[in-house]
Amino acid sequence: MLDFVGHQHKRFRWDLKLTALTGLSRSRLGTAVDQEFPFLPSGCQIVMDKATQAAVLANLKTQIGSRWSDLLTELRSIGNVELREYLDESGAGLPDLLKSGRSWTRLRREAGFETRPVGPREDELVRRGRSLIHVDDRPRASVYQSVLSSAAEPALWTPAERRLAEMLFFSLWPNGGGFTSIEEGIRSLHSNEVATDELSAIVDLGFENARRTTLELAGDLAGVPLQVHGRYRREEVLAALGDASLTKPPINFREGVLWVPEINTDAFFIQLKKSEAAFSPTTMYQDYPISPTLFHWESQSRTTVASPTGQRYLNGTSNILLFVRETSVDEYGTGAPYLFLGPATYVKHEGERPIAITWKLETPMSIDFFTAAKVVAS
């Protein structure tokens, strides 16, 4: 048991303390405190009396969503430091720096500390920094860093490295960026030294903060550079599965299901918390975890049992991959990444249009994610 009784200074960072204890994002802490922490694992509690709860909520309101002018003043007082040191010294969080089009590079330029020339696509690139903070597996972080630092020439990439490089490319340019080749886009990266320095620092920080162990795919999918329990943005998944190209950029993909016949794979993009504003009545599917190894999922409303798609699902003739996220937007104000739950196999089904299917995961989901997902989906 941990006891936090006492009178903290008004600048005490309850957001940092509670994020470290719970693993919740800073944007979700207010709701968690207000609802008495419903997402904690079984047997764990954080108990606050009403006065403490009110004080913590008031503290969170002053800390979450720091004003740009405050961040700028803080940097000038700390001095010319690297991103990691600034975060440590100031207590600011990455969302403060990266949300709403902000960037570390912009902050340094306005503070007068960044004097290197502005690259031709600098602003465009640093605005995409928040699309890399979730990178949490070593192979992806390593190749992303190598590409950003120009340590590896495209001509020398292995097939796996090339696919990972494509995942990075489409993370930065979901619309293809107007380039005629992936290689041209990578060369453009290297003419934006300031931007690539920031992107590299963000990848480092994201990987250091990773909370889950990831596992390589095996069997038919052994060559696919996705790791079970890693987090991925949709454009990364499409690139990893070979379904993204300059003529078919991932920005155009809007479906919740993806069929990739070249590798006999069905990928499902599942959002647990659905709102009527974002989903039509025909797409308010009932998707939720039953247990750490079982997941209930509903097909698209037009899918029948007799259709080729329905038969593929029910007969187990394709590789089924589940990607799950709780909500559509993360604390950075952009599309939330999906947690890759890995391959799954058919257990049972009922009905059609949609077909309600129970899938069994090859790898159990973590208890913390299962607990949170079950609450969100309920």
Side-chain angles (χ1 to χ4, degrees), residues 86-196:
Y86 172 75
L87 295 175
D88 290 341
E89 290 291 326
S90 68
L94 267 179
D96 298 325
L97 290 177
L98 303 183
K99 66 184 179 183
S100 304
R102 297 175 173 184
S103 73
W104 172 238
T105 295
R106 176 188 161 197
L107 190 72
R108 281 177 50 79
R109 286 202 185 280
E110 291 189 17
F113 294 135
E114 183 53 72
T115 59
R116 287 175 291 179
V118 178
R121 303 184 77 144
E122 178 182 294
D123 188 60
E124 174 186 2
L125 286 168
V126 295
R127 285 173 178 269
R128 294 295 297 172
R130 56 188 178 171
S131 70
L132 301 180
I133 189 60
H134 65 282
V135 173
D136 55 3
D137 65 271
R138 188 173 298 279
R140 184 169 33 144
S142 177
V143 171
Y144 281 16
Q145 292 286 27
S146 177
V147 172
L148 290 168
S149 67
S150 70
E153 288 295 326
L156 301 178
W157 287 339
T158 65
E161 288 172 338
R162 179 173 182 83
R163 189 57 58 84
L164 285 162
E166 291 172 353
M167 291 165 65
L168 172 62
F169 174 90
F170 285 113
S171 292
L172 298 176
W173 290 294
N175 63 355
F179 298 108
T180 59
S181 69
I182 301 295
E183 289 79 3
E184 182 186 2
I186 299 304
R187 286 193 296 272
S188 174
L189 269 181
H190 301 154
S191 64
N192 288 270
E193 179 184 356
V194 177
T196 55

Side-chain angles (χ1 to χ4, degrees), residues 301-355:
S301 57
R302 63 177 177 269
T303 305
T304 65
V305 169
S307 68
T309 299
Q311 285 294 296
R312 215 170 49 239
Y313 296 165
L314 306 184
N315 293 335
T317 55
S318 67
N319 301 299
I320 302 295
L321 304 180
L322 271 57
F323 299 85
V324 179
R325 65 182 181 185
E326 296 177 18
T327 58
S328 60
V329 179
D330 63 14
E331 59 190 324
Y332 296 87
T334 189
Y338 293 83
L339 181 70
F340 179 33
L341 297 186
T345 53
Y346 168 84
V347 176
K348 65 178 182 178
H349 77 278
E350 57 183 28
E352 61 181 351
R353 295 188 177 183
I355 309 172

